[in-house]
Amino acid sequence: MNEIMQTENVQSIGAARLADLFLAGAVNLEAGKEWINELNVFPVPDGDTGTNMTLTIKSAVAEVENLDDTSRSMRDVLKAISSGSLRGARGNSGVILSQLLRGFGKVARDNDEINVEITARAFERAVETAYKAVMKPKEGTILTVAKGVADKAKELSANGVTDFAVFIPEVIAYGEEVLAKTPDMLPVLKQAGVVDSGGQGLIEFLKGCYNGFLGKEIVPAAAEQAGAEGEVSQPEVPAEPEIKYVYRTAFTIVTDKDFNKASGKSLRKYLESLGEDVICDQTDNTVEVKLNTNDPGLAIQKGILYGDLTGLVVENRKLEKEGSAQAAAAAESVPAEAPAEESSEEAEQEMPHKDIGFITVSVGDGIEEIFRGLGVDYVIAGGQTMNPSTDDILNAVNKVNADTIYILPNNKNIVMAARQAAELTEDKKVIVIPTTTIPQGITAVINFTNDLDPDANRENMLSGIELVKSAEVTYSIRDTVLDDVEIHKDDIMGIGDSGILAVGSDRDQTALDCLAKMVDEDTEIISIYYGQDVTEEDAENFKAKVVEKFDSCDVELQYGGQPIYFYILSAE
């Protein structure tokens, strides 16, 4: 009762309180991270929306917490939120969230305190900014939910509402109504029986802000997810799988001289956000790291920030538990992300100046080697299991000493972060080629011609990637229905450029079924990149099957070393 009385007739919010609300929103978003991930349409074994939004906002949290408590102005707080989220943005959902926060700050930053009217205008500007950042805005997504929130805020302000204690809950309630309708806007959501995960993440953030406004202890909103009759409800949180975190990841950091106890504490906190059974033992100049996680690349990337890595091992616990021979082989091999250490070493050296440079995102030591062989200057460790942040890409841009730099994201969930990095770069011309798969990235580099100017090369590369058909073969982590196909946990899936191509119980047969839908009379080359959980012998046997079935095509087999995806396939 006292809490409610304290929040009655609150007509203005100052910088310090706004910072507290933001931090409370971040806590609630992180609390619902795994649940939000479960809303992802594709049942692939990786973190996505919840993870990306959480990591994006945690970057902003760090900026806010670094502010001097005695001099937090509204401009300082909102600048920290905007700058931190923009640079820390990961994935499309994270980039959109950062743009929403950026737009909000553009209106609110010039006021010592904000009222309902200013907040409503700030919400409206937030939506405008986010929509402009998306090349082809799609309704039924986080954008739709954000627009609903802004529309309700504008309506309440116009109707004379001035009390935040009335304004905030009504705005959130309407946002939830819009969220519940997202499956009616996107058939793929309706078929999977979920609402949009990015929209859900935004609502969880706003609910956390309201909890902070009330002074409440943060409680994960996932516990409140009962849908009303006639609405599309949130899916029940599934029972914990036998192995919640698939990859046992271990490495040792030979630390830089600046590493201290505070650094060790920060590293441990970050690792704990990625998984469980975290060991982070610090000695004089080394840190031994071990954890179970679904995002090994993120752990490795973080480690590289503190020094050189040694003893890198990534083991697939799922396959190991099933007694798979492939798991034993993978445990002994160098993990896919190991070459990131080479990138770290390169970062210490000044690259010679050149006119044109290339940056690509890659996962798997074999695929990285292919890109380097094609002349790529800098490889960012990343992909579906670990979307690099805008700041990661900016750091790569700073390391490549070239006047014009092409960025190949090689994943649809990294393209927006790459474009955001390009917009934030002032001293170099950065051209993003929106490659969404590894094969597209390889083709883009091959289509580069030294004799053409940068813009002509851009068009040449764009034309080249349109001719590439790609697919990835992996396993499902839950039951769902997608593209009118019933999928069960542990099924093998072939995911093409536009959706599911094949589902089955046999890895090679499912991959062959994918190729059958990709290959046509114009196809000349089939490329196979096999992952770290496939032995060379098994890969050669699969190649023989492909050669037999598609005898009119040249078939190329290369070691990719990628985790999670047994095969990456392309047909050109």
Side-chain angles (χ1 to χ4, degrees), residues 9-320:
N9 200 23
V10 177
Q11 298 198 12
S12 63
I13 293 176
R17 191 168 190 183
L18 182 65
D20 289 341
L21 267 60
F22 171 76
L23 296 176
V27 169
N28 201 57
L29 176 59
E30 183 172 11
K33 177 181 68 175
E34 294 302 329
W35 168 46
I36 295 166
N37 281 342
E38 289 293 334
L39 297 175
N40 291 323
V41 172
F42 280 96
V44 291
D46 55 38
D48 194 1
T49 304
T51 300
N52 285 333
M53 294 183 76
T54 296
L55 291 173
T56 296
I57 213 160
K58 285 176 75 172
S59 179
V61 166
E63 293 282 340
V64 172
E65 290 181 337
N66 284 336
L67 292 174
D68 185 346
D69 288 339
T70 61
S71 60
R72 283 186 178 183
S73 68
M74 186 68 75
R75 179 172 285 273
D76 289 339
V77 169
L78 289 170
K79 181 180 179 182
I81 291 172
S82 177
S83 175
S85 61
L86 284 172
R87 298 183 70 90
R90 296 177 188 268
N92 294 341
S93 54
V95 172
I96 292 171
L97 177 61
S98 73
Q99 291 293 335
L100 288 169
L101 294 170
R102 179 188 191 187
F104 183 94
K106 287 179 179 179
V107 171
R109 65 191 177 190
D110 293 326
N111 304 274
D112 293 333
E113 295 184 332
I114 59 174
N115 56 24
V116 165
E117 187 270 333
I118 294 172
T119 302
R121 286 194 289 111
F123 279 165
E124 188 173 21
R125 183 68 171 273
V127 172
E128 291 174 358
T129 304
Y131 266 87
K132 287 179 181 177
V134 180
M135 293 291 287
K136 296 180 180 179
K138 184 182 293 184
E139 296 306 324
T141 65
I142 182 176
L143 292 171
T144 307
V145 177
K147 187 175 185 300
V149 166
D151 289 345
K152 188 63 175 181
K154 183 177 181 180
E155 175 192 318
L156 292 170
S157 176
N159 289 339
V161 174
T162 59
D163 185 357
F164 276 106
V166 175
F167 175 79
I168 299 176
E170 289 201 26
V171 163
I172 293 173
Y174 187 73
E176 289 186 291
E177 289 182 29
V178 175
L179 176 66
K181 296 174 182 176
T182 55
D184 295 326
M185 305 176 201
L186 280 178
V188 68
L189 295 176
K190 192 158 193 171
Q191 193 170 65
V194 296
V195 295
D196 178 68
S197 54
Q200 186 69 64
L202 178 61
I203 291 297
E204 297 315 309
F205 170 69
L206 293 175
K207 283 184 174 180
C209 292
Y210 184 48
N211 286 339
F213 177 79
L214 295 174
K216 287 184 177 180
E217 180 181 356
I218 305 302
V219 178
E224 304 170 0
Q225 56 165 313
E229 185 177 353
E231 295 179 352
V232 178
S233 63
Q234 316 300 337
E236 294 184 4
V237 178
E240 183 172 298
E242 292 184 12
I243 296 180
K244 183 177 180 181
Y245 296 101
V246 176
Y247 295 99
R248 183 61 176 169
T249 304
F251 53 86
T252 299
I253 309 171
V254 181
T255 57
D256 297 331
K257 60 182 179 180
D258 295 331
F259 193 90
N260 52 36
K261 288 184 178 180
S263 304
K265 184 177 180 181
S266 175
L267 175 60
R268 173 180 286 277
K269 184 176 180 181
Y270 178 81
L271 294 172
E272 287 174 346
S273 75
L274 298 181
E276 63 185 8
D277 296 338
V278 173
I279 295 174
C280 188
D281 292 340
Q282 180 179 353
T283 59
D284 290 339
N285 65 339
T286 63
V287 180
E288 181 183 358
V289 171
K290 294 181 180 178
L291 74 158
N292 294 334
T293 180
N294 289 328
D295 302 295
L298 292 178
I300 292 168
Q301 275 190 314
K302 189 70 171 180
I304 288 173
L305 296 178
Y306 294 109
D308 295 325
L309 303 192
T310 64
L312 283 157
V313 176
V314 177
E315 298 175 343
N316 188 315
R317 299 168 66 227
K318 178 178 183 292
L319 295 182
E320 186 178 63

Side-chain angles (χ1 to χ4, degrees), residues 550-571:
F550 305 100
D551 54 8
S552 64
C553 299
D554 291 332
V555 179
E556 297 179 352
L557 175 67
Q558 300 191 63
Y559 171 67
Q562 69 275 4
I564 294 180
Y565 295 92
F566 302 119
Y567 297 118
I568 296 174
L569 309 171
S570 73

Side-chain angles (χ1 to χ4, degrees), residues 385-401:
T385 57
M386 50 168 185
N387 298 154
S389 67
T390 298
D391 200 40
D392 293 331
I393 300 171
L394 281 170
N395 287 335
V397 169
N398 290 334
K399 298 301 180 185
V400 177
N401 189 8

Side-chain angles (χ1 to χ4, degrees), residues 48 52 90-93 384 387 411-417:
D48 194 1
N52 285 333
R90 296 177 188 268
N92 294 341
S93 54
Q384 189 64 18
N387 298 154
N411 186 288
K412 65 180 181 181
N413 215 30
I414 303 175
V415 173
M416 287 187 67

